[in-house]
């Protein structure tokens, strides 16, 4: 094969498909997360075309996102201190999750992450502008080519259509 100078990056992923049932981390405190979700919903003021967050399905989605994120290595099963809904658009739901500070020797763990869930079920198999595939593999490729310039991708789950990103 002739090198034409184009950038080629494998689409294989280094991120396991973590699920809320991952047994490597202790289960999150559901009552605590529910209270934080209610606070986040009460504080969220959507700007059109953003959707309201005050619905049973949004509460269920947020609980699923937080439970999944609890299993991430970068979270290290720390307690969630705050949940902030950043957006509830037609394409995705974006949430900032703040954690208790890490203790020794895990000082380098982030104090917060961004969790993003894509609404369209076909977004994990169709890159036609729906975001999940483009963002997942785009961030992975960009961080290989230009480390430190773009948010780190901490985890991804195609079944849930969710990404966990560095909060920059």
């Amino acid at each position: 094969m002739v090198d034409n100078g184009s950038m080629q990056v494998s689409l294989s992923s280094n991120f396991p498909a973590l699920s809320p049932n991952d047994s490597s981390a202790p289960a999150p405190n559901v009552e605590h997360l529910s209270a934080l979700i209610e606070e986040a919903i009460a504080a969220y003021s959507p700007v059109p075309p953003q959707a309201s967050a005050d619905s049973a399905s949004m509460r269920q989605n947020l609980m699923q996102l937080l439970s999944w994120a609890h299993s991430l290595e970068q979270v290290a099963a720390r307690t969630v201190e705050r949940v902030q809904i950043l957006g509830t658009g037609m394409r995705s739901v974006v949430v900032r999750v703040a954690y208790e500070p890490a203790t020794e020797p895990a000082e380098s763990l982030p104090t917060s992450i961004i969790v993003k869930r894509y609404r369209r079920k076909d977004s994990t198999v169709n890159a036609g502008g729906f975001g999940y595939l483009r963002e997942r593999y785009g961030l992975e490729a960009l961080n290989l080519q230009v480390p430190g310039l773009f948010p780190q991708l901490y985890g991804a789950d195609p079944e849930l259509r969710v990404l966990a990103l560095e909060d920059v």
Side-chain angles (χ1 to χ4, degrees), residues 17-158:
L18 300 174
S19 72
N21 298 322
D22 186 1
S23 60
S24 65
N29 181 332
V30 175
E31 288 180 18
H32 176 68
L33 292 181
S34 292
L36 292 175
I37 287 169
E38 291 304 320
E39 289 175 18
I41 289 171
Y44 181 63
S45 298
V47 177
Q50 302 287 311
S52 170
D54 193 5
S55 70
S57 65
M58 181 60 75
R59 285 174 175 82
Q60 182 179 1
N61 280 328
L62 292 173
M63 183 60 75
Q64 191 175 37
L65 290 177
L66 296 173
S67 296
W68 175 82
H70 189 73
S71 299
L72 292 170
E73 179 182 318
Q74 292 80 2
V75 171
R78 290 177 287 153
T79 301
V80 176
E81 288 188 338
R82 187 172 54 88
V83 176
Q84 179 185 12
I85 300 169
L86 301 176
T88 57
M90 292 176 54
R91 189 176 82 138
S92 62
V93 173
V94 183
V95 179
R96 174 177 287 124
V97 186
Y99 294 92
E100 67 184 352
T103 57
E104 300 284 338
E107 296 173 346
S108 64
L109 294 176
T111 56
S112 65
I113 64 171
I114 300 296
V115 182
K116 189 171 188 178
R117 181 170 190 265
Y118 289 85
R119 293 180 185 263
R120 289 185 62 133
K121 291 181 180 172
D122 65 348
S123 68
T124 60
V125 294
N126 178 353
F130 301 128
Y132 176 85
L133 290 175
R134 290 178 186 218
E135 188 159 8
R136 178 181 179 170
Y137 292 111
L139 282 174
E140 196 171 336
L142 289 168
N143 279 300
L144 285 173
Q145 296 299 315
V146 192
L149 191 58
F150 298 92
Q152 290 293 311
L153 180 61
Y154 293 144
D157 188 323

